[in-house]
Amino acid sequence: VQLQASGGGLVQAGDSLRLSCAASGRTYHMGWFRQAPGKEREFVSADTLSPRLTYYADSVKGRFTISRDSAKNTVYLQMDSLKPEDTAVYYCVARSNRIITSMIQRAGAYDYWGQGTLVTVSS
């Protein structure tokens, strides 16, 4: 499975941005991680195909929304009320098989990674 992410850019604090990630095949879990300069990679959000469940890092809960178009094998990350601390390279991730909930936020649980798209939020 190959992942193609898009939608990054430069915005101001308080603005919105939507990231997209298209998968070349069917996946069970899709989500996003991010890595800011000088910081470790961190979980942002993920979902499950069925049942339809979503997960968020505390830092983005209430501001970011993950959604999926199953027919297009595409996942979206709607990012609202962006903050300068959201500045990072965002990586789309996917996994073909179901994993237990406790693994959802672990980078090692995902088999497929996209190339990353840069989001810069200015103050």
Side-chain angles (χ1 to χ4, degrees), residues 26-121:
R26 189 174 182 273
T27 57
Y28 190 85
H29 296 284
M30 294 190 76
W32 299 88
F33 281 73
R34 68 186 182 186
Q35 187 165 20
K39 295 187 177 181
E40 294 186 353
R41 184 173 50 190
E42 64 175 358
F43 170 81
V44 176
S45 181
D47 77 350
T48 62
L49 182 60
S50 179
R52 187 76 172 87
L53 299 173
T54 57
Y55 306 86
Y56 298 94
D58 289 341
S59 60
V60 306
K61 201 170 293 183
R63 299 188 298 120
F64 290 11
T65 304
I66 191 169
S67 61
R68 194 200 293 215
D69 185 333
S70 299
K72 296 181 179 180
N73 293 324
T74 299
V75 69
Y76 305 95
L77 186 68
Q78 177 66 40
M79 304 184 294
D80 298 321
S81 302
L82 283 162
K83 304 175 181 180
E85 50 263 43
D86 294 319
T87 294
V89 176
Y90 284 70
Y91 296 93
C92 176
V93 298
R95 179 185 170 95
S96 298
N97 301 316
R98 185 173 184 176
I99 52 175
I100 59 176
T101 302
S102 61
M103 293 290 292
I104 290 289
Q105 299 192 20
R106 298 189 181 186
Y110 296 91
D111 302 316
Y112 309 106
W113 289 72
Q115 81 282 10
T117 184
L118 178 62
V119 173
T120 304
V121 184

